[in-house]
Amino acid sequence: MKQIDKAEDKQNHGKQRGQKDSMQLAVALKDQLLLFNIHIYRSRKHLQKDEKEMKRLTAIAEEANEIKSRFLANMSYNIRIPLNNVVGFSQLITDDTGLSEEEKREYSGIIQNNAAELIQLVNNVLDLSRLEANMMKFQLQDCNVQEWCSELACLIQMRSEGSIHLELETDAGDATIHTDINRFTQMVSNMLLYPIECKKRRDVKMKLAYNTEAQNISCQIANSPLADPAFSSQKQFILQKICHLFFEHFNGTFRIEEPNEGGSVIYFTYPTK
């Protein structure tokens, strides 16, 4: 009788142990299933995020391609015009033996002007490409801003042949910048001069100050021809882009404000030493 009771106890103990093991296995499987579901949820979220990012990048790429296509179409037009003038008037001078000396000088002047415009356009496109690819080479040196400003007005007067009257207000103190002086001067000149041929007198105001706390020079150019919608062209767009990339390369800023009563305004900053 005792042996039977022991056998039954042993059997019951085995069943309880089996049930316990089954419960533990069920709990373990439940935990694994929960972890698996969490992993699936996170993976799905990542996929959705990646899909949104892919759509965003695709939209950016498509927009960039569209801009590039318009740019190339406009560029093709802007190259053809001066090139056709150069070729056409060159042939005219060569083939027409009945031209007077005055006509030859006039046509030669047209050829020279269009050739210079074509060369400038090509150089601007090359500069833009180098800046975008971060392959532009610079001849860096220290530049005293106050001394540089003292020469700027005369330079603009000479290059514009008197059509641009620059009102320059500076508070540069002892500010010094480390830059390619020729490139920097060219960038600022682009903001002050007409982007296309124009002899109309224009008053441009430029204020430049040294910000000791921010360790940079800040400049405001009011009534800038480069930002004026009246001179909207492919050349203006390229010059604006070149200025933006140049100042961005040296950890500065460049922006254009919408035209107001005082005309278009350009702001730029450049770090000091």
Side-chain angles (χ1 to χ4, degrees):
M1 195 65 182
K2 290 183 179 179
Q3 291 179 348
I4 294 174
D5 293 338
K6 287 182 179 180
E8 289 179 352
D9 291 341
K10 187 175 182 181
Q11 185 177 5
N12 292 333
H13 180 72
K15 288 181 179 180
Q16 291 176 355
R17 184 175 180 182
Q19 291 175 351
K20 184 178 181 181
D21 291 342
S22 298
M23 290 178 62
Q24 290 178 344
L25 179 60
V27 171
L29 289 173
K30 185 178 180 181
D31 290 342
Q32 291 295 324
L33 183 60
L34 179 61
L35 292 174
F36 179 75
N37 287 334
I38 292 174
H39 176 72
I40 292 295
Y41 174 79
R42 289 177 176 174
S43 298
R44 186 178 299 166
K45 283 292 184 182
H46 282 303
L47 288 173
Q48 290 175 348
K49 184 179 180 181
D50 291 342
E51 184 180 359
K52 289 181 180 179
E53 182 67 12
M54 183 62 69
K55 289 181 179 179
R56 187 183 70 84
L57 293 175
T58 300
I60 292 174
E62 290 176 351
E63 183 181 1
N65 285 332
E66 184 179 349
I67 293 173
K68 182 180 179 181
S69 297
R70 291 200 303 266
F71 175 81
L72 291 175
N74 292 332
M75 185 57 60
S76 177
Y77 173 81
N78 288 323
I79 289 176
R80 282 200 308 270
I81 297 300
L83 186 59
N84 287 339
N85 288 338
V86 170
V87 174
F89 282 100
S90 296
Q91 290 178 342
L92 189 60
I93 291 176
T94 302
D95 297 340
D96 192 343
T97 56
L99 293 175
S100 65
E101 291 300 319
E102 182 178 352
E103 288 175 324
K104 289 181 180 179
R105 284 194 297 271
E106 179 184 355
Y107 295 162
S108 295
I110 294 174
I111 292 171
Q112 290 176 2
N113 290 337
N114 281 273
E117 181 181 346
L118 188 60
I119 291 171
Q120 185 61 55
L121 181 61
V122 172
N123 286 335
N124 287 339
V125 172
L126 291 175
D127 285 347
L128 178 59
S129 299
R130 294 189 187 106
L131 283 167
E132 287 181 330
N134 200 26
M135 295 179 63
M136 178 74 80
K137 295 182 179 179
F138 298 102
Q139 301 295 325
L140 300 177
Q141 55 184 305
D142 290 345
C143 171
N144 182 280
V145 179
Q146 191 64 47
E147 293 178 1
W148 174 83
C149 287
S150 64
E151 301 173 358
L152 182 62
C154 293
L155 178 66
I156 297 302
Q157 175 77 11
M158 181 180 65
R159 289 189 179 179
S160 68
E161 298 180 353
S163 59
I164 298 294
H165 177 257
L166 178 61
E167 183 180 327
L168 181 59
E169 181 181 327
T170 63
D171 183 18
D174 58 351
T176 300
I177 59 175
H178 192 62
T179 189
D180 185 320
I181 298 177
N182 291 331
R183 294 279 184 185
F184 182 80
T185 302
Q186 185 59 51
M187 295 303 118
V188 178
S189 297
N190 288 341
M191 303 178 208
L192 300 172
L193 299 172
Y194 287 113
I196 60 175
E197 186 69 24
C198 183
K199 297 298 181 182
K200 183 179 179 180
R201 178 182 168 86
R202 188 183 185 99
D203 294 324
V204 180
K205 296 181 180 180
M206 175 175 170
K207 294 181 180 180
L208 187 146
Y210 176 28
N211 189 332
T212 55
E213 292 184 2
Q215 287 296 296
N216 64 22
I217 56 170
S218 59
C219 184
Q220 172 185 329
I221 301 176
N223 201 29
S224 166
L226 184 63
D228 193 338
F231 301 108
S232 179
S233 64
Q234 190 69 22
K235 182 178 180 181
Q236 186 190 51
F237 170 79
I238 293 174
L239 292 176
Q240 289 176 357
K241 187 66 174 177
I242 288 174
C243 287
H244 176 80
L245 292 173
F246 175 85
F247 286 99
E248 186 180 71
H249 178 84
F250 289 100
N251 298 319
T253 60
F254 174 87
R255 63 185 176 90
I256 298 175
E257 276 197 356
E258 294 296 328
N260 51 40
E261 295 181 358
S264 305
V265 181
I266 291 179
Y267 296 91
F268 74 82
T269 63
Y270 194 97
T272 55
K273 289 189 65 178

